[in-house]
Amino acid sequence: MVQGLRQGLIGLIVMAGALLGLPAAASAAETGWAIEEHGLYRALPDVLLTDETGRARRLAAWSKETPLLVTFAYARCTGICSPLLRQLHATTDRLGGRGDRYRVVVVALDQADTPKLLQAFARSQGIRGPGWSFTTAAREDVARLEAAVGGWSRPLPDGQIDHPALVGAVREGVLVQTVAGADFQAPRLAVALAEAQGDFLPVYPAPESDMALRCFSFRLDGQGFGLDWGIALLLAPAGLAFGATALIFRPRRGP
Amino acid sequence: MALSANPPSFPNPAGPQGQPQAVPAGAHPRLTLLWTAAAVVLFVAMLALGAAMRAVQGSVAPAIADRFYALMTLHGLGMAGAMFVGAMAVASYFMGRYIETSARASAIALGGTLLGVVILAFSTLVGGFGAGWYFLHPLPFSALGGWPLWTAYLFMAGMAVLGASWLLWTISILRGVAARYPLSRALGWHYITGKKGEEVPPLVLISTVALIAVFAALVAAVVIVVLFLTEGAQGKPNDPLMMKNLIFFFGHTLVNITMYFGVAVVYELMPEYFGRPWPANRVVAISWNTVLALVLLAYLHHLYMDFAQPPILQAIGQIASYTSALPAAVVSIYGGLMLVARAKARWTLTSSFLFLGLLGWCIGGIAAVTDSTIMANFRFHNTLWVPGHFHAYMLLGVCMMMLGAAYRVVADNARVAEARGVMISALYVLGGYGIVLMFYAGGADGIPRRFALYPAELGVGAFYAQLSLVFVVFLVLGVAGYLWEAGRHWFKAYARA
């Protein structure tokens, strides 16, 4: 038994050594991925976007009218564009409010695209309904906007454009959330939308907010804290346990 | 009360004069067999959910990615709950050698547990509730479309049923201890003060510590449920910081207590396989009383990242984590190794699983204490290191202890000789350590935990998950062997008990 254990342990150590070498090899091949934290809470370049109706609007003014989900695609794309747009369509359909409370703005990455062409591509993917805008912009503006959201695009030898799947949630010209990847789920996009619409995302409520019980009271100038009534609830379980133990073990008089 | 079919070579002293006696098998064998069967079935089901989660993370089963967080919620809560009731059931069974325990309370708790599990399974698997076992405020009621509101209420109802059942069971066992020992004796204070007195088996001492702490944890669970329901009814928000403190007070303490029940059974049974005594003494008493004094504060290390938590509590969290874990662990591991070293050992499925479980508890515990160090936590927080350490002390620690002890209950009551189970142990250990190693490697690589699908830049996380599935196969083979070995005698044991 002990001999078997020893041999097993040696085997595990050898395997561990082999495996620890793998991450470096795997991660070396993966470079330049989009990062969701990139550029958060910064003003986006105020680029001029022209939609499929021919109307041209500045991004800052447009996002003051309504929160925007900005994403990037192009009509000849054989890669991530289709899954990204379909996921965006399915998820926003599920969450509701598209067109009423926010818009999805698709920016063409290919200068050969027109807004109509981009719209036709999207329709070929089954994307319909209100709240979509398919736009083009000057080459430099597209590059600046995409970089500000945390992405990039570069031409490939086969004529395709390499770019990450990105959705930027924009409120009043400011990037408030970025969702990277095409496989996001509804709650993730719902958080981005909530922030784009100016909803408060609860992290820790401000001390003056209406609350049933609070365990600590904080000074607004950041200089220390005090105990509040809620602390009694924190201490209650231990107090009750020790009290009940004393009661259960109380000395009993003999018969 | 049946006598053991596997006579101990060195039973712990049970009598008032500390004389070794013919040791009875344990209390309420039929109920214990039902408890352990329920725990083992739940363990296997939760294992399947865990494997499904790794399959999602490894992009092997992306079709169920939408269900990942519901599976995670049930897996975490179900596995912790199954091990808690399993370990407490075997501990109370063997405590029956020394104290009277209530069959009625145990039966009510078993019924409540089964009902609670059904409710939790419905809220997660059918309703899609996916707030995690920790259901941090305000997530259950703020799902943003993730799950319907009724699932949160159902989840709270399931928690309430479990909490009330387990609280009743805890009180009944504590009453059993109190009927035989005064508190000072049950906690071994006479060893500390040097006064002469009745021998107290370590099983009773450690279980008493665990029962007092679990009482506190379950009261915290009740408070949490009441606060959530009050908020749901009134709409007046609770303090998220207070809720998080309460939730981790409950969860962290419950998981620790589960391990203590497992270790208590190891203290009780291992002498019977290695021919040497493992009695309580001053060092054992001091270390486990230290646990009682500080384990209720150790949970604070879960709040290192909460900027609103006062810094003094963060410092207390680190100190309590070290002082509650290290003395008892060092004493138990040292005692266990001294017991086994050069001993005339009787290696069976039970003794192998108990000993390996003790090692797994130690290995996972070292990683846990490391993670409770603020400087290390700063790096490891919410990486795969965290599931690495808790799978080490659960899957390779308390699960092995519980499975080993449960097998002993079956073998004793079926009156059959215990199998050696070398292949079962080897497959379980190979699979288990492989799974844990993949988590640790992911943590060392900075791969975040709780990702259903890894984005491309974290593709190595998917690679580790795929490798995990290979080790899952070994673990499943080991567990299948265990089920065959224990299951084929279970009905005979139940009939003869």
Side-chain angles (χ1 to χ4, degrees), chain A residues 169-229:
Chain A
V170 185
R171 184 178 76 225
E172 299 181 351
V174 173
L175 181 71
V176 293
Q177 288 257 346
T178 304
V179 180
D183 52 0
F184 52 83
Q185 294 173 33
R188 177 71 189 89
L189 199 68
V191 168
L193 273 172
E195 190 149 11
Q197 291 169 74
D199 290 351
F200 175 65
L201 296 179
V203 177
Y204 192 76
E208 66 272 25
S209 65
D210 180 30
M211 192 169 285
L213 280 170
R214 180 181 283 282
C215 51
F216 303 110
S217 57
F218 295 88
R219 286 176 55 179
L220 291 176
D221 58 5
Q223 301 296 310
F225 65 94
L227 300 182
D228 216 326
W229 283 107

Side-chain angles (χ1 to χ4, degrees), chain B residues 230-254:
Chain B
T230 308
E231 179 175 334
Q234 291 189 339
K236 200 168 186 179
N238 284 301
D239 178 1
L241 189 62
M242 185 178 72
M243 296 296 274
K244 188 169 181 182
N245 270 282
L246 280 167
I247 286 168
F248 279 102
F249 180 95
F250 154 67
H252 178 90
T253 308
L254 192 84

Side-chain angles (χ1 to χ4, degrees), chain A residues 1 5 15 19 22-23 33-34 94 191 204-205 210-216 218 225 230 234 237 241 244-245 248-249, chain B residues 144-145 178 181 183 212 215-216 219 236-237 239-242 245 308 310 313 352 356 438 445 456-457 463-464 467 471:
Chain A
M1 179 72 183
L5 278 176
M15 200 157 28
L19 287 170
L22 289 171
W33 300 105
R94 182 176 166 191
V191 168
Y204 192 76
D210 180 30
M211 192 169 285
L213 280 170
R214 180 181 283 282
C215 51
F216 303 110
F218 295 88
F225 65 94
L234 282 188
T245 302
I248 291 169
F249 281 88
Chain B
L144 295 168
Y181 303 97
L183 184 60
I212 295 170
F215 190 111
V219 170
K236 200 168 186 179
D239 178 1
L241 189 62
M242 185 178 72
N245 270 282
L313 295 186
S352 304
L356 291 168
M438 292 307 101
D445 236 16
E457 63 267 36
F463 170 72
Y464 287 135
L467 270 182
F471 291 107

Side-chain angles (χ1 to χ4, degrees), chain B residues 1 10-11 31 38-39 50 54 109 147 149 184 343 407 458 460 476 485:
Chain B
M1 198 178 277
F10 205 109
L31 257 177
R54 289 304 261 165
W147 52 84
L149 191 60
S184 59
Y407 177 69
L458 299 174
V460 70
V476 166
E485 196 53 52

